[in-house]
Amino acid sequence: MTESRHRAAGPASERDSEQHWPTLDKDLGRMSLIESAALHTARPLVGVGISLVFIALVAAIVALAAGELQGTLMIAIAAAFAAYMALNIGANDVANNMGPAVGANALSMAGAIAIAALCETAGALLAGGEVVSTISDRIIAQGEIADSAHFVQAMMSAMLAAAVWINAATLLRAPVSTTHAVVGGVMGAGIAAAGFGTVNWPTMSAIAASWVVSPILGGVIAAAVLAFIKWKIMYVPDRIAAARIWLPVLIGVMAGAFACYLALKGLRQLLGIGLHQAALSGLAVGVLSWLIAIPLVRRRSRGMENRNASLKVLFRLPLVISAGLLSFAHGANDVANAVGPLGAIVKALQSREVAEQMTVIPYWVLMIGALGISCGLIFFGPRMIRLVGSQITKLNPMRAYCVALSAALTVILASWLGLPVSSTHIAVGGVFGVGFYREWYMARRARTEGATRATKLLPIEERQRRKLVRRSHLMTIIAAWLVTVPASALLSALCFLLITTLFG
């Protein structure tokens, strides 16, 4: 009897144990999810902590290195502001260069960040150290702020205000022009320091015009390049044969455009060349690249199927190279947005007078900008990269290539016309241009081929849902662009009043 009870109890005990373990597994699974969520939540805090350490280290090292210089405290504080500005440029502005490549799956997020950090740093250190015109020369009338102390405080206010605004725009997921933010900061500080008469209003009018010119030019050129690719390569009977003819031409155009782009945006002052010399060098590089690309594309395309998937493979490498070149040019050009005012402050404190012509940026100042941009990209850039690359419209290597090529061609065209443009507005405008062209093309194709009755009778909500460009991002970005200069100017004026109150 006892044995039979034990035998009966045994299986029941095992069943209870079997019922207990699945419950334990579920509990452990829930705990793992909680830990993963906690790590995901804490990850941004790691970036914030490292950024604060970076800013503090920059201020401490600069204070020690300044040593006997006049205004050591002011230089250290200004260096901290410049580091904060550089971090925000890396978090917001670099996404315009790498976003299309990541959205097109030509690069992984880690690969994009590595290439961008390397190219941005190289551009800043190799081509960003030439003689850089002080921002005050173009926005504030020369000689209006005669007192060097007020000039230093104005430049500090401009950096801090621009950095705060870019930080806010990044949190709002709006890619904005860092150049416009700095321009607004200098304008606001200049007005607070010496009144409205100190601002060079014709220059400000030209900058305001670029808000409209830059994205429209970028969008139109990107759409035109995409239309050409569809016409000559994608929608022909033999796509591979067409790619062997036209892809080397596009690579030559890209290489030539970027050679001219780099000369104009990053190397112009260093090489001492004008627009015509840059155009000739671009033409030479373009022809050479076209000749080199012909056998390479032919070898790469051998054995490929006649499908769009094969075209994506062929366009991937040129897209990656163009993204790296964009980052190099961005580092060479836009590092001045982070450290240009700091360079002006250093010279003003050294010479005890406001720099009236050009400011030679010291190498250690460039290091702050280069490292800050790279750190900002690594810790905060992925969010904006995803937005530009995949959340405005869907990109593939061909469409992303159109955006990259548009950025270079638009800068060249704008330089020839004498128009001030923003690389940020051009790149984002190119993304929207590609998306809106696809919408127009699909609607035209549906009308030409004859849409089904079911498609014609879709409700308005469903037709809106099928739009290829997200209108909510469009409105947010346009609003951020329109208020960048006024917001930075207002913040800068407030910062100037606060700084003058604290430091006298």
Side-chain angles (χ1 to χ4, degrees):
M1 180 73 68
T2 305
E3 292 178 1
S4 63
R5 286 177 182 172
H6 280 296
R7 283 195 299 268
S13 177
E14 292 174 2
R15 284 195 300 271
D16 292 341
S17 177
E18 290 173 358
Q19 292 174 357
H20 172 71
W21 283 110
T23 303
L24 181 59
D25 289 342
K26 290 179 181 178
D27 291 339
L28 290 174
R30 293 190 187 100
M31 292 178 65
S32 299
L33 289 175
I34 292 171
E35 290 177 357
S36 299
L39 288 174
H40 181 76
T41 304
R43 193 174 301 161
L45 299 179
V46 174
V48 172
I50 294 176
S51 299
L52 291 174
V53 171
F54 172 72
I55 293 172
L57 283 175
V58 166
I61 292 172
V62 169
L64 292 174
E68 302 299 325
L69 285 179
Q70 293 281 351
T72 300
L73 177 61
M74 298 298 287
I75 292 178
I77 296 174
F81 289 171
Y84 177 45
M85 178 66 175
L87 287 167
N88 283 286
I89 290 176
N92 190 293
D93 215 18
V94 182
N96 307 315
N97 305 324
M98 286 297 165
V102 174
N105 294 320
L107 277 174
S108 65
M109 182 64 72
I113 290 175
I115 292 174
L118 179 63
C119 293
E120 290 278 342
T121 302
L125 296 180
L126 296 178
E130 70 271 14
V131 178
V132 178
S133 175
T134 56
I135 295 173
S136 61
D137 282 341
R138 291 171 288 162
I139 307 304
I140 299 176
Q142 296 181 9
E144 289 292 336
I145 306 179
D147 182 73
S148 61
H150 278 178
F151 175 79
V152 168
Q153 292 164 357
M155 291 296 102
M156 291 174 63
S157 303
M159 282 192 295
L160 180 59
V164 169
W165 169 247
I166 297 170
N167 198 340
T170 303
L171 294 176
L172 295 173
R173 306 183 72 185
V176 296
S177 170
T178 57
T179 303
H180 288 177
V182 174
V183 164
V186 173
M187 183 184 74
I191 292 173
F196 284 89
T198 191
V199 178
N200 188 337
W201 292 109
T203 300
M204 288 304 304
S205 300
I207 291 170
S210 74
W211 296 342
V212 178
V213 172
S214 299
I216 291 178
L217 272 177
V220 169
I221 292 177
V225 175
L226 181 60
F228 179 84
I229 291 175
K230 285 180 178 291
W231 174 39
K232 288 295 186 180
I233 301 177
M234 294 178 64
Y235 295 140
V236 297
D238 192 342
R239 296 179 177 90
I240 303 303
R244 288 172 180 169
I245 296 173
W246 290 109
L247 183 56
V249 174
L250 290 173
I251 290 174
V253 172
M254 179 199 73
F258 273 109
C260 189
Y261 176 92
L262 289 172
L264 292 173
K265 292 286 283 181
L267 305 175
R268 188 171 189 170
Q269 299 292 339
L270 182 65
L271 300 178
I273 63 175
L275 178 60
H276 292 90
Q277 291 87 348
L280 289 176
S281 64
L283 179 62
V285 172
V287 172
L288 180 62
S289 301
W290 168 59
L291 294 174
I292 294 174
I294 292 175
L296 295 178
V297 172
R298 187 174 298 276
R299 188 182 308 116
R300 176 69 170 166
S301 62
R302 191 173 298 146
M304 284 188 169
E305 298 180 4
N306 187 27
R307 300 191 307 160
N308 281 340
S310 301
L311 297 180
K312 294 177 182 178
V313 174
L314 291 175
F315 272 89
R316 188 168 293 148
L317 182 59
L319 173 60
V320 172
I321 295 173
S322 66
L325 291 173
L326 273 175
S327 292
F328 182 90
H330 179 271
N333 185 74
D334 283 15
V335 69
N337 292 336
V339 298
L342 176 59
I345 289 171
V346 171
K347 184 173 182 181
L349 291 175
Q350 283 179 329
S351 62
R352 304 302 300 167
E353 61 183 14
V354 178
E356 294 184 357
Q357 295 296 325
M358 308 292 279
T359 300
V360 179
I361 298 184
Y363 199 76
W364 62 267
V365 174
L366 288 175
M367 284 295 296
I368 293 174
L371 294 177
I373 289 174
S374 297
C375 290
L377 169 67
I378 292 170
F379 293 114
F380 308 108
R383 187 181 184 189
M384 294 300 295
I385 288 176
R386 292 189 190 97
L387 171 67
V388 175
S390 59
Q391 296 178 15
I392 294 175
T393 191
K394 186 177 180 181
L395 297 176
N396 60 23
M398 288 83 80
R399 299 168 199 154
Y401 181 86
C402 296
V403 175
L405 184 57
S406 169
L409 292 176
T410 304
V411 169
I412 296 168
L413 179 60
S415 299
W416 179 58
L417 296 175
L419 297 173
V421 292
S422 164
S423 58
T424 299
H425 290 191
I426 292 170
V428 177
V431 174
F432 279 112
V434 165
F436 283 124
Y437 173 78
R438 291 180 61 222
E439 282 191 7
W440 172 84
Y441 183 84
M442 291 186 69
R444 176 176 173 271
R445 188 175 179 182
R447 287 194 302 270
T448 302
E449 296 178 357
T452 63
R453 181 175 178 81
T455 303
K456 290 180 178 179
L457 297 178
L458 281 174
I460 294 177
E461 294 80 5
E462 180 64 15
R463 278 181 283 174
Q464 286 294 113
R465 189 184 67 82
R466 294 190 178 192
K467 296 291 186 183
L468 300 180
V469 178
R470 294 187 65 177
R471 267 55 174 181
S472 59
H473 287 314
L474 174 64
M475 300 309 297
T476 300
I477 291 170
I478 290 177
W481 285 355
L482 290 176
V483 303
T484 289
V485 171
S488 298
L490 179 59
L491 285 172
S492 182
L494 295 175
C495 290
F496 180 79
L497 295 176
L498 179 61
I499 290 174
T500 52
T501 301
L502 292 176
F503 294 97

